PDB file of all heavy atoms in Angstrom:
ATOM      1  N   ASP S  55      -8.098  24.447  10.547  1.00 90.00           N
ATOM      2  CA  ASP S  55      -9.016  23.347  10.765  1.00 90.00           C
ATOM      3  C   ASP S  55     -10.425  23.851  10.996  1.00 90.00           C
ATOM      4  O   ASP S  55     -11.400  23.237  10.607  1.00 90.00           O
ATOM      5  CB  ASP S  55      -8.574  22.570  12.013  1.00 90.00           C
ATOM      6  CG  ASP S  55      -7.966  21.246  11.662  1.00 90.00           C
ATOM      7  OD1 ASP S  55      -7.866  20.959  10.456  1.00 90.00           O
ATOM      8  OD2 ASP S  55      -7.608  20.498  12.597  1.00 90.00           O
ATOM      9  N   GLY S  56     -10.513  24.984  11.692  1.00 86.00           N
ATOM     10  CA  GLY S  56     -11.830  25.556  11.994  1.00 86.00           C
ATOM     11  C   GLY S  56     -12.434  26.357  10.863  1.00 86.00           C
ATOM     12  O   GLY S  56     -13.610  26.722  10.924  1.00 86.00           O
ATOM     13  N   GLY S  57     -11.670  26.617   9.800  1.00 86.00           N
ATOM     14  CA  GLY S  57     -12.196  27.407   8.691  1.00 86.00           C
ATOM     15  C   GLY S  57     -12.508  26.536   7.502  1.00 86.00           C
ATOM     16  O   GLY S  57     -12.574  25.319   7.595  1.00 86.00           O
ATOM     17  N   ARG S  58     -12.691  27.192   6.388  1.00 85.00           N
ATOM     18  CA  ARG S  58     -13.053  26.446   5.179  1.00 85.00           C
ATOM     19  C   ARG S  58     -11.876  26.438   4.205  1.00 85.00           C
ATOM     20  O   ARG S  58     -11.301  27.478   3.960  1.00 85.00           O
ATOM     21  CB  ARG S  58     -14.282  27.054   4.510  1.00 85.00           C
ATOM     22  CG  ARG S  58     -15.153  26.019   3.837  1.00 85.00           C
ATOM     23  CD  ARG S  58     -16.412  26.655   3.202  1.00 85.00           C
ATOM     24  NE  ARG S  58     -17.233  27.330   4.180  1.00 85.00           N
ATOM     25  CZ  ARG S  58     -17.975  28.392   3.863  1.00 85.00           C
ATOM     26  NH1 ARG S  58     -17.980  28.881   2.617  1.00 85.00           N
ATOM     27  NH2 ARG S  58     -18.750  28.955   4.774  1.00 85.00           N
ATOM     28  N   LEU S  59     -11.551  25.298   3.665  1.00 89.00           N
ATOM     29  CA  LEU S  59     -10.484  25.252   2.669  1.00 89.00           C
ATOM     30  C   LEU S  59     -11.062  25.615   1.315  1.00 89.00           C
ATOM     31  O   LEU S  59     -12.252  25.464   1.077  1.00 89.00           O
ATOM     32  CB  LEU S  59      -9.909  23.854   2.626  1.00 89.00           C
ATOM     33  CG  LEU S  59      -9.034  23.444   3.807  1.00 89.00           C
ATOM     34  CD1 LEU S  59      -8.722  21.936   3.790  1.00 89.00           C
ATOM     35  CD2 LEU S  59      -7.707  24.222   3.810  1.00 89.00           C
ATOM     36  N   PRO S  60     -10.211  26.117   0.406  1.00 90.00           N
ATOM     37  CA  PRO S  60     -10.753  26.462  -0.927  1.00 90.00           C
ATOM     38  C   PRO S  60     -11.299  25.223  -1.636  1.00 90.00           C
ATOM     39  O   PRO S  60     -10.781  24.130  -1.429  1.00 90.00           O
ATOM     40  CB  PRO S  60      -9.506  26.987  -1.691  1.00 90.00           C
ATOM     41  CG  PRO S  60      -8.336  26.450  -0.960  1.00 90.00           C
ATOM     42  CD  PRO S  60      -8.757  26.316   0.481  1.00 90.00           C
ATOM     43  N   ARG S  61     -12.330  25.412  -2.392  1.00 87.00           N
ATOM     44  CA  ARG S  61     -12.878  24.322  -3.181  1.00 87.00           C
ATOM     45  C   ARG S  61     -11.994  24.134  -4.401  1.00 87.00           C
ATOM     46  O   ARG S  61     -11.844  25.035  -5.183  1.00 87.00           O
ATOM     47  CB  ARG S  61     -14.281  24.656  -3.668  1.00 87.00           C
ATOM     48  CG  ARG S  61     -15.376  24.329  -2.706  1.00 87.00           C
ATOM     49  CD  ARG S  61     -16.685  24.864  -3.270  1.00 87.00           C
ATOM     50  NE  ARG S  61     -17.686  24.862  -2.248  1.00 87.00           N
ATOM     51  CZ  ARG S  61     -18.429  23.780  -1.885  1.00 87.00           C
ATOM     52  NH1 ARG S  61     -18.252  22.670  -2.541  1.00 87.00           N
ATOM     53  NH2 ARG S  61     -19.292  23.864  -0.902  1.00 87.00           N
ATOM     54  N   LEU S  62     -11.450  22.947  -4.552  1.00 88.00           N
ATOM     55  CA  LEU S  62     -10.624  22.708  -5.706  1.00 88.00           C
ATOM     56  C   LEU S  62     -11.368  21.673  -6.587  1.00 88.00           C
ATOM     57  O   LEU S  62     -11.937  20.702  -6.077  1.00 88.00           O
ATOM     58  CB  LEU S  62      -9.278  22.078  -5.281  1.00 88.00           C
ATOM     59  CG  LEU S  62      -8.447  22.939  -4.357  1.00 88.00           C
ATOM     60  CD1 LEU S  62      -7.134  22.229  -3.993  1.00 88.00           C
ATOM     61  CD2 LEU S  62      -8.110  24.298  -4.952  1.00 88.00           C
ATOM     62  N   SER S  63     -11.358  21.952  -7.889  1.00 88.00           N
ATOM     63  CA  SER S  63     -12.017  20.984  -8.788  1.00 88.00           C
ATOM     64  C   SER S  63     -11.017  19.946  -9.228  1.00 88.00           C
ATOM     65  O   SER S  63     -10.331  20.083 -10.265  1.00 88.00           O
ATOM     66  CB  SER S  63     -12.563  21.766  -9.989  1.00 88.00           C
ATOM     67  OG  SER S  63     -13.151  20.840 -10.869  1.00 88.00           O
ATOM     68  N   LEU S  64     -10.853  18.904  -8.410  1.00 92.00           N
ATOM     69  CA  LEU S  64      -9.874  17.864  -8.705  1.00 92.00           C
ATOM     70  C   LEU S  64     -10.562  16.511  -8.615  1.00 92.00           C
ATOM     71  O   LEU S  64     -10.396  15.777  -7.624  1.00 92.00           O
ATOM     72  CB  LEU S  64      -8.726  17.931  -7.673  1.00 92.00           C
ATOM     73  CG  LEU S  64      -7.923  19.252  -7.611  1.00 92.00           C
ATOM     74  CD1 LEU S  64      -6.962  19.240  -6.446  1.00 92.00           C
ATOM     75  CD2 LEU S  64      -7.155  19.481  -8.912  1.00 92.00           C
ATOM     76  N   PRO S  65     -11.347  16.143  -9.644  1.00 91.00           N
ATOM     77  CA  PRO S  65     -12.024  14.861  -9.597  1.00 91.00           C
ATOM     78  C   PRO S  65     -11.026  13.715  -9.548  1.00 91.00           C
ATOM     79  O   PRO S  65      -9.920  13.811 -10.088  1.00 91.00           O
ATOM     80  CB  PRO S  65     -12.805  14.832 -10.952  1.00 91.00           C
ATOM     81  CG  PRO S  65     -12.722  16.190 -11.531  1.00 91.00           C
ATOM     82  CD  PRO S  65     -11.546  16.868 -10.914  1.00 91.00           C
ATOM     83  N   PRO S  66     -11.407  12.585  -8.853  1.00 91.00           N
ATOM     84  CA  PRO S  66     -10.467  11.465  -8.694  1.00 91.00           C
ATOM     85  C   PRO S  66      -9.860  10.986 -10.008  1.00 91.00           C
ATOM     86  O   PRO S  66      -8.646  10.674 -10.023  1.00 91.00           O
ATOM     87  CB  PRO S  66     -11.336  10.393  -8.063  1.00 91.00           C
ATOM     88  CG  PRO S  66     -12.437  11.130  -7.382  1.00 91.00           C
ATOM     89  CD  PRO S  66     -12.680  12.390  -8.174  1.00 91.00           C
ATOM     90  N   LYS S  67     -10.630  10.942 -11.080  1.00 93.00           N
ATOM     91  CA  LYS S  67     -10.086  10.417 -12.340  1.00 93.00           C
ATOM     92  C   LYS S  67      -9.061  11.345 -12.937  1.00 93.00           C
ATOM     93  O   LYS S  67      -8.056  10.900 -13.493  1.00 93.00           O
ATOM     94  CB  LYS S  67     -11.215  10.157 -13.364  1.00 93.00           C
ATOM     95  CG  LYS S  67     -11.921   8.863 -13.070  1.00 93.00           C
ATOM     96  CD  LYS S  67     -12.859   8.444 -14.178  1.00 93.00           C
ATOM     97  CE  LYS S  67     -13.501   7.092 -13.862  1.00 93.00           C
ATOM     98  NZ  LYS S  67     -14.699   6.860 -14.571  1.00 93.00           N
ATOM     99  N   TYR S  68      -9.305  12.649 -12.808  1.00 95.00           N
ATOM    100  CA  TYR S  68      -8.343  13.654 -13.286  1.00 95.00           C
ATOM    101  C   TYR S  68      -7.045  13.491 -12.470  1.00 95.00           C
ATOM    102  O   TYR S  68      -5.925  13.466 -13.044  1.00 95.00           O
ATOM    103  CB  TYR S  68      -8.951  15.053 -13.046  1.00 95.00           C
ATOM    104  CG  TYR S  68      -7.978  16.197 -13.175  1.00 95.00           C
ATOM    105  CD1 TYR S  68      -7.516  16.642 -14.427  1.00 95.00           C
ATOM    106  CD2 TYR S  68      -7.478  16.825 -12.012  1.00 95.00           C
ATOM    107  CE1 TYR S  68      -6.596  17.691 -14.500  1.00 95.00           C
ATOM    108  CE2 TYR S  68      -6.555  17.860 -12.115  1.00 95.00           C
ATOM    109  CZ  TYR S  68      -6.154  18.313 -13.322  1.00 95.00           C
ATOM    110  OH  TYR S  68      -5.240  19.339 -13.422  1.00 95.00           O
ATOM    111  N   LEU S  69      -7.161  13.407 -11.147  1.00 95.00           N
ATOM    112  CA  LEU S  69      -5.945  13.236 -10.319  1.00 95.00           C
ATOM    113  C   LEU S  69      -5.229  11.932 -10.610  1.00 95.00           C
ATOM    114  O   LEU S  69      -3.991  11.905 -10.648  1.00 95.00           O
ATOM    115  CB  LEU S  69      -6.360  13.275  -8.821  1.00 95.00           C
ATOM    116  CG  LEU S  69      -6.670  14.625  -8.246  1.00 95.00           C
ATOM    117  CD1 LEU S  69      -7.020  14.481  -6.756  1.00 95.00           C
ATOM    118  CD2 LEU S  69      -5.521  15.605  -8.418  1.00 95.00           C
ATOM    119  N   ALA S  70      -6.031  10.869 -10.864  1.00 95.00           N
ATOM    120  CA  ALA S  70      -5.395   9.576 -11.125  1.00 95.00           C
ATOM    121  C   ALA S  70      -4.557   9.666 -12.413  1.00 95.00           C
ATOM    122  O   ALA S  70      -3.433   9.159 -12.462  1.00 95.00           O
ATOM    123  CB  ALA S  70      -6.454   8.494 -11.275  1.00 95.00           C
ATOM    124  N   ALA S  71      -5.087  10.368 -13.448  1.00 96.00           N
ATOM    125  CA  ALA S  71      -4.366  10.483 -14.702  1.00 96.00           C
ATOM    126  C   ALA S  71      -3.105  11.315 -14.491  1.00 96.00           C
ATOM    127  O   ALA S  71      -2.030  11.018 -15.058  1.00 96.00           O
ATOM    128  CB  ALA S  71      -5.244  11.139 -15.752  1.00 96.00           C
ATOM    129  N   LYS S  72      -3.223  12.359 -13.679  1.00 96.00           N
ATOM    130  CA  LYS S  72      -2.053  13.210 -13.405  1.00 96.00           C
ATOM    131  C   LYS S  72      -0.965  12.405 -12.667  1.00 96.00           C
ATOM    132  O   LYS S  72       0.191  12.456 -13.059  1.00 96.00           O
ATOM    133  CB  LYS S  72      -2.579  14.360 -12.502  1.00 96.00           C
ATOM    134  CG  LYS S  72      -1.754  15.592 -12.540  1.00 96.00           C
ATOM    135  CD  LYS S  72      -2.477  16.710 -11.811  1.00 96.00           C
ATOM    136  CE  LYS S  72      -1.516  17.827 -11.530  1.00 96.00           C
ATOM    137  NZ  LYS S  72      -2.135  18.952 -10.824  1.00 96.00           N
ATOM    138  N   LEU S  73      -1.353  11.679 -11.638  1.00 96.00           N
ATOM    139  CA  LEU S  73      -0.397  10.901 -10.882  1.00 96.00           C
ATOM    140  C   LEU S  73       0.280   9.843 -11.766  1.00 96.00           C
ATOM    141  O   LEU S  73       1.474   9.563 -11.660  1.00 96.00           O
ATOM    142  CB  LEU S  73      -1.080  10.234  -9.682  1.00 96.00           C
ATOM    143  CG  LEU S  73      -1.535  11.169  -8.559  1.00 96.00           C
ATOM    144  CD1 LEU S  73      -2.461  10.448  -7.602  1.00 96.00           C
ATOM    145  CD2 LEU S  73      -0.362  11.753  -7.818  1.00 96.00           C
ATOM    146  N   ALA S  74      -0.501   9.261 -12.671  1.00 96.00           N
ATOM    147  CA  ALA S  74       0.028   8.234 -13.560  1.00 96.00           C
ATOM    148  C   ALA S  74       1.131   8.793 -14.449  1.00 96.00           C
ATOM    149  O   ALA S  74       2.061   8.103 -14.884  1.00 96.00           O
ATOM    150  CB  ALA S  74      -1.080   7.633 -14.426  1.00 96.00           C
ATOM    151  N   ARG S  75       1.086  10.128 -14.707  1.00 96.00           N
ATOM    152  CA  ARG S  75       2.124  10.780 -15.510  1.00 96.00           C
ATOM    153  C   ARG S  75       3.316  11.211 -14.662  1.00 96.00           C
ATOM    154  O   ARG S  75       4.238  11.855 -15.098  1.00 96.00           O
ATOM    155  CB  ARG S  75       1.581  12.034 -16.196  1.00 96.00           C
ATOM    156  CG  ARG S  75       0.523  11.772 -17.276  1.00 96.00           C
ATOM    157  CD  ARG S  75       0.344  13.029 -18.187  1.00 96.00           C
ATOM    158  NE  ARG S  75       0.163  14.273 -17.442  1.00 96.00           N
ATOM    159  CZ  ARG S  75      -0.989  14.760 -16.998  1.00 96.00           C
ATOM    160  NH1 ARG S  75      -2.121  14.070 -17.232  1.00 96.00           N
ATOM    161  NH2 ARG S  75      -1.063  15.907 -16.394  1.00 96.00           N
ATOM    162  N   GLY S  76       3.240  10.896 -13.327  1.00 96.00           N
ATOM    163  CA  GLY S  76       4.310  11.293 -12.421  1.00 96.00           C
ATOM    164  C   GLY S  76       4.240  12.727 -11.939  1.00 96.00           C
ATOM    165  O   GLY S  76       5.205  13.278 -11.432  1.00 96.00           O
ATOM    166  N   VAL S  77       3.077  13.355 -12.108  1.00 97.00           N
ATOM    167  CA  VAL S  77       2.907  14.748 -11.697  1.00 97.00           C
ATOM    168  C   VAL S  77       2.125  14.731 -10.375  1.00 97.00           C
ATOM    169  O   VAL S  77       1.086  14.139 -10.258  1.00 97.00           O
ATOM    170  CB  VAL S  77       2.148  15.587 -12.738  1.00 97.00           C
ATOM    171  CG1 VAL S  77       1.993  17.019 -12.296  1.00 97.00           C
ATOM    172  CG2 VAL S  77       2.842  15.510 -14.117  1.00 97.00           C
ATOM    173  N   PRO S  78       2.666  15.438  -9.328  1.00 97.00           N
ATOM    174  CA  PRO S  78       1.970  15.448  -8.042  1.00 97.00           C
ATOM    175  C   PRO S  78       0.612  16.135  -8.140  1.00 97.00           C
ATOM    176  O   PRO S  78       0.387  17.030  -8.988  1.00 97.00           O
ATOM    177  CB  PRO S  78       2.900  16.304  -7.167  1.00 97.00           C
ATOM    178  CG  PRO S  78       4.225  16.302  -7.870  1.00 97.00           C
ATOM    179  CD  PRO S  78       3.934  16.177  -9.332  1.00 97.00           C
ATOM    180  N   ALA S  79      -0.320  15.742  -7.258  1.00 96.00           N
ATOM    181  CA  ALA S  79      -1.696  16.185  -7.316  1.00 96.00           C
ATOM    182  C   ALA S  79      -1.889  17.722  -7.382  1.00 96.00           C
ATOM    183  O   ALA S  79      -2.691  18.251  -8.121  1.00 96.00           O
ATOM    184  CB  ALA S  79      -2.485  15.570  -6.157  1.00 96.00           C
TER     185      ALA S  79
END
Side-chain angles (χ1 to χ4, degrees):
D55 253 1
R58 213 178 302 150
L59 286 169
R61 274 174 194 277
L62 302 179
S63 178
L64 300 172
K67 281 191 176 158
Y68 165 78
L69 284 181
K72 203 170 165 181
L73 291 168
R75 295 197 310 273
V77 181

